[in-house]
Amino acid sequence: MIEARRFIVEGRVQGVGFRPFLARLAHGFGLAGEVANVGGRVEGVVEGPADSIQAFMHRLRAEAPAGASIRALHERPDELRGFDSFSIHPAGAVASPLPMDGSGAHLPLDQPPCPACLAELSDPHDRRCHHPFIACAACGPRVSMMAAMPWGRAHTGMAGFVLCPACRREFHDPSDRRFHAEAIACPSCGPRLWFVRDGARMEGDEAALAEAVALLRAGGLVAVRGVGGYHLMCDARNAYAVARLRERKHRPSKPLAVMYPWAGADGLAALRRDVAPGPAEAEALVSAARPIVLLPGTPAPLRGEGWGGEGGIAPGLAGIGVMLPSSPLHHLLLADFGGPLVATSGNRSGEPLASRPEEAEARLAGIADAFLHHDRPILWPMDDPVRRVIAGRARPLRLGRGDAPLELDLPFALDRAWLAVGGQMKNAVALGWGERIVLSPHVGELDSPRGLARFAHTIERLQALHGVGAEAIAHDMHPGYEATRWAMEQPLPTRAVQHHAAHASALYAEAWMDGGAVPADMLVLAWDGLGFGEDGGLWGGEALLGRPGRWRRVASLRPFRLPGGERAAREPWRCALGLCWEAGLEGAGVPVGVDAGMLRQAWARGLNTPATRSMGRLFDAAAALLGLCARASHEGEAAMRLEAAAMACGPSPAGAGGVRELPWLENEGLLRLDWAPLLPMLLDASRPVAGRAMAFHASLARAAVRLAMRLNAEGLGLSGGVMQNRLLVELIHAEAERAGVRLIMPSRVPVNDAGLAFGQLVEAHFMEHSS
């Protein structure tokens, strides 16, 4: 019996080759009909024998393309229209029986070149050999070049590139893997490379690439336009080149990411000559996001020997950020160069990534010696994502190209559309509606006009592409945050969310989403550098007990006052002095060349000496007392150097000088962690620095678990930027296992302020429903 059946597929089904897959499936079963991308869905109809249609629907679910994720499949009988074949229509060409509000949209993520495209890229007999923009239905840029939904060439940055006859034949050939692949092109009809140096322009893909490689081999700095924006690149093994990059970018010690050529069966052969990724790290490196992965150990050729050590790739640290090529252009560049290249963000410090050729030449003048441009538009600039393996799992520290926007299914329903605007640094924003939350790619710092412009653009993109307009805004309580000021200027209801409650709610919601047993009341350690407290103070060493909308602060860090106020975040020696003076230790912790007399008087009078409970500032103080970092050139530098020093000690805290028992002292109904017992150990110059650094970490790890035991907590959650510290978290994990305490950590949402907006949105919703 011949029948007709209409189907609607929801989920990530656009930009992943889903329509070509359906067309081939229908052809295999002898079915006729049509299919199109409509709104954020795939919709179509099939006609044919009932048993064939049933088999088609079964295989639709079971054999969807690798990049697809089906959330829902709706089907119903339809009128027979006598189709004589199965056809794919342009985006939106099929009438939809559902409202076209876009709220079902799931954006396709940027994909690295697939194995088939990589094989063609190096095949001298293939017409796309060495084509820097090779792509197919399974790979290539997606959301970074998307202008609107639904996914279709006319709605992307490829709209201006008209297919040549050969590409058009592939596009319309059901047997070709580029059948209806919207991002395809070739050297005849696709984007072009050009190379610019000292005002001279070199046209042509091969010639431009050869010039870039030659300059890199000569120690030059080249700004290279990729999928989401520009990288500043140089020879990672050239001391002179790396030193020039640091000097020109005013980046004296912040670690630089290194990109390795794809080599060997798994792509990691070249990288393994220098570093030894573990299984979880190797899996992350070759994942579709192609993230920067932080690995322990820095290979000797990249340490900076020969020019003082401090000018190397990751000076003073016990690891290196590495990545593999994420685009055909990067594959060609790294293969032709034949070794690792520094690949750091193409920006000036504190500003967002440059993404347009004219913008790059204006902003990166004086840093880059030359520019390797292309003319494929980037409509949503995206930084590289960053991951670190902590406690056996690769966890995101920053979302970006290839893994953002991050779409999450909520275990509860929002009653209106919320926008959450995140924090001041590591900013990302979130949009939530129904049972979904979408977390944006990395925005970055909001201290510059360009940073604020990128912030506003991200908010516009997130709402426009999903077809959802915010009805309320969640923001941080800090009145000085640019995101807070922006929120207050909008004509929408707002909800202020305490910083650490947002961190706690992000952790709770992710644990809830993962389907495991979530404690009715979770104990969460929210340890970070700074969060505006409900009392107007500087929090950062908090323990919250409860659940979203009902958090109760049960413990904190013993406060100490910071001489010089905000300057202490950039000058850890000030944190050290404040700590020592609070403990009554006069004369300790004063760095060489500093006259602390007047500062001590100001501290005694309470002049510009705000009290802090920040765990991040405690780490800074410890690093300064150990002589590891008196002045920081980038955020988190002191804590990173402290962790690196401790890791040099080996795995046993007991053998490194022992663990100090830190008491939790009750004061005015709040438990306060007393850091004072750490000071004699930190100041004991007779002990190795590595041992003291390890004992510091181990003592805090034990104190964390002891708090959970004292409060009989069902589980201990870890959140906040301090929990990026692999050593600290793994020591807490070991202590928790010995004590039988369940540990809860995020694995999909960044634990630092990059995940703050997610928690703000969750907390804002439950705050409105907790009264």
Side-chain angles (χ1 to χ4, degrees):
M1 178 180 177
I2 302 300
E3 63 178 43
R5 200 148 196 89
R6 177 167 291 278
F7 59 88
I8 299 168
V9 191
E10 297 181 1
R12 182 167 283 128
V13 291
Q14 295 191 15
V16 293
F18 205 88
R19 292 170 304 150
F21 157 70
L22 292 178
R24 294 188 187 97
L25 199 59
H27 180 77
F29 283 111
L31 301 174
E34 62 183 8
V35 69
N37 287 336
V38 182
R41 306 176 291 273
V42 166
E43 301 189 15
V45 62
V46 285
E47 292 183 353
D51 57 346
S52 295
I53 290 178
Q54 184 177 1
F56 170 89
M57 292 298 177
H58 171 75
R59 289 183 61 183
L60 183 160
R61 294 185 186 91
E63 300 176 14
S69 174
I70 297 176
R71 283 171 52 94
L73 173 61
H74 309 285
E75 51 178 301
R76 62 174 175 78
D78 202 35
E79 294 182 3
L80 285 168
R81 285 184 277 170
F83 291 103
D84 57 8
S85 64
F86 192 92
S87 59
I88 296 177
H89 289 286
V94 174
S96 173
L98 296 178
M100 294 302 299
D101 62 359
S103 61
H106 291 257
L107 307 185
L109 302 180
D110 298 322
Q111 298 292 316
C114 67
C117 282
L118 281 182
E120 291 175 344
L121 193 66
S122 59
D123 182 355
H125 303 294
D126 192 278
R127 71 188 189 92
R128 290 189 176 87
C129 180
H130 287 181
H131 179 46
F133 309 98
I134 192 168
C136 69
C139 69
R142 295 295 190 263
V143 69
S144 64
M145 69 169 189
M146 179 183 289
M149 289 290 277
W151 172 254
R153 194 178 184 90
H155 296 161
T156 74
M158 293 298 290
F161 298 94
V162 179
L163 293 175
C164 66
C167 286
R168 193 177 298 114
R169 282 193 298 272
E170 293 172 334
F171 188 85
H172 291 290
D173 180 359
S175 66
D176 196 286
R177 65 189 180 83
R178 292 188 171 89
F179 179 47
H180 279 271
E182 307 291 351
I184 66 166
C186 73
S188 298
C189 63
R192 300 281 197 275
L193 292 178
W194 72 97
F195 180 81
V196 174
R197 184 181 186 188
D198 297 330
R201 176 168 170 146
M202 172 72 72
E203 299 279 358
D205 293 351
E206 295 280 0
L209 192 63
E211 288 291 323
V213 170
L215 182 55
L216 289 166
R217 286 176 178 161
L221 311 180
V222 181
V224 179
R225 195 183 196 204
V227 172
Y230 281 82
H231 286 115
L232 285 165
M233 308 189 81
C234 71
D235 183 351
R237 292 186 170 129
N238 185 318
Y240 172 69
V242 174
R244 287 176 68 233
L245 175 59
R246 287 198 174 280
E247 180 182 3
R248 290 183 178 186
K249 203 177 178 186
H250 304 294
R251 188 171 176 167
S253 58
K254 190 174 182 178
L256 301 168
V258 177
M259 184 181 292
Y260 280 82
W262 182 276
D266 63 355
L268 295 169
L271 186 147
R272 284 196 176 102
R273 295 185 196 115
D274 283 349
V275 290
E281 290 154 340
E283 182 181 0
L285 281 164
V286 300
S287 68
R290 293 291 192 273
I292 298 169
V293 178
L294 306 186
L295 300 183
T298 305
L302 307 182
R303 286 183 196 146
E305 278 85 346
W307 70 94
E310 284 300 294
I313 297 298
L317 304 184
I320 180 176
V322 298
M323 62 192 303
L324 293 171
S326 59
S327 75
L329 172 57
H330 287 97
H331 274 275
L332 292 170
L333 183 68
L334 271 292
D336 288 356
F337 180 77
L341 291 170
V342 167
T344 191
S345 297
N347 60 354
R348 290 190 177 273
S349 294
E351 291 190 347
L353 192 69
S355 61
R356 292 176 286 107
E358 63 276 14
E359 174 194 16
E361 290 192 27
R363 289 174 54 194
L364 303 180
I367 301 178
D369 295 315
F371 299 84
L372 183 60
H373 297 303
H374 64 73
D375 59 355
R376 184 179 62 203
I378 297 172
L379 302 182
W380 194 347
M382 299 203 184
D383 288 82
D384 296 315
V386 181
R387 296 181 189 171
R388 189 180 198 188
V389 172
I390 301 174
R393 298 187 66 172
R395 304 179 194 272
L397 303 184
R398 182 174 82 189
L399 300 175
R401 178 235 356 108
D403 65 6
L406 176 65
E407 302 188 349
L408 301 165
D409 294 330
L410 295 171
F412 56 87
L414 300 168
D415 51 12
R416 56 176 168 173
W418 281 93
L419 172 70
V421 295
Q424 182 71 8
M425 303 180 74
K426 295 185 175 65
N427 181 270
V429 301
L431 181 67
W433 70 100
E435 295 180 357
R436 293 179 61 193
I437 286 184
V438 181
L439 185 59
S440 82
H442 175 74
V443 174
E445 298 177 20
L446 303 186
D447 295 327
S448 69
R450 289 191 177 100
L452 287 171
R454 181 62 51 82
F455 168 76
H457 178 262
T458 299
I459 290 172
E460 183 276 327
R461 288 279 78 199
L462 208 58
Q463 295 181 95
L465 291 179
H466 287 94
V468 175
E471 298 168 311
I473 302 175
H475 62 84
D476 196 272
M477 287 178 63
H478 199 304
Y481 280 6
E482 294 293 342
T484 298
R485 292 171 181 164
W486 182 92
M488 300 302 292
E489 292 170 357
Q490 307 309 305
L492 292 172
T494 60
R495 170 72 71 167
V497 176
Q498 201 280 320
H499 192 88
H500 302 98
H503 277 308
S505 286
L507 177 63
Y508 192 102
E510 183 179 333
W512 193 2
M513 285 187 301
D514 288 342
V518 182
D521 287 320
M522 184 187 293
L523 177 65
V524 178
L525 297 181
W527 288 0
D528 61 8
L530 173 71
F532 195 78
E534 292 176 349
D535 59 3
L538 305 180
W539 293 7
E542 312 314 308
L544 306 181
L545 181 64
R547 56 191 183 278
R550 295 181 180 273
W551 294 109
R552 181 168 59 91
R553 185 178 181 225
V554 293
S556 186
L557 187 67
R558 174 186 168 184
F560 60 100
R561 290 181 293 144
L562 298 174
E566 291 183 359
R567 294 182 63 181
R570 301 184 300 276
E571 299 177 354
W573 64 266
R574 294 176 181 270
C575 300
L577 285 182
L579 204 68
C580 291
W581 291 341
E582 198 76 42
L585 299 176
E586 300 293 337
V590 180
V592 175
V594 171
D595 183 358
M598 292 186 65
L599 194 64
R600 176 65 175 84
Q601 292 177 29
W603 183 87
R605 295 175 184 173
L607 301 176
N608 193 25
T609 56
T612 183
R613 297 165 180 82
S614 166
M615 187 62 72
R617 298 293 81 82
L618 183 66
F619 271 73
D620 289 351
L625 290 172
L626 294 179
L628 298 169
C629 184
R631 290 174 174 82
S633 68
H634 62 88
E635 185 203 8
E637 180 178 2
M640 293 162 69
R641 287 177 177 261
L642 183 65
E643 180 188 8
M647 291 176 71
C649 176
S652 173
V659 178
R660 297 298 183 270
E661 295 294 339
L662 305 181
W664 291 95
L665 305 175
E666 188 164 356
N667 182 275
E668 297 180 353
L670 193 68
L671 293 173
R672 297 190 188 277
L673 179 61
D674 187 6
W675 36 259
L678 292 169
L679 289 177
M681 176 270 296
L682 290 172
L683 292 167
D684 185 356
S686 68
R687 294 188 174 191
V689 168
R692 287 181 279 162
M694 175 62 86
F696 175 85
H697 283 80
S699 300
L700 288 173
R702 178 166 296 179
V705 175
R706 291 288 169 84
L707 177 64
M709 296 169 66
R710 177 168 176 167
L711 297 177
N712 294 316
E714 296 179 50
L716 177 62
L718 306 182
S719 66
V722 168
M723 298 306 176
Q724 297 172 104
N725 184 314
R726 175 177 181 168
L727 175 63
L728 176 67
V729 169
E730 292 180 351
L731 287 171
I732 294 175
H733 189 273
E735 288 278 355
E737 277 196 333
R738 285 192 290 269
V741 172
R742 176 190 171 201
L743 203 62
I744 303 165
M745 273 202 73
S747 59
R748 289 190 282 172
V749 176
V751 73
N752 55 33
D753 278 9
L756 191 68
F758 171 59
Q760 287 173 343
L761 202 154
V762 172
E763 180 67 6
H765 167 77
F766 282 99
M767 286 173 72
E768 294 205 339
H769 293 80
S770 63
S771 55

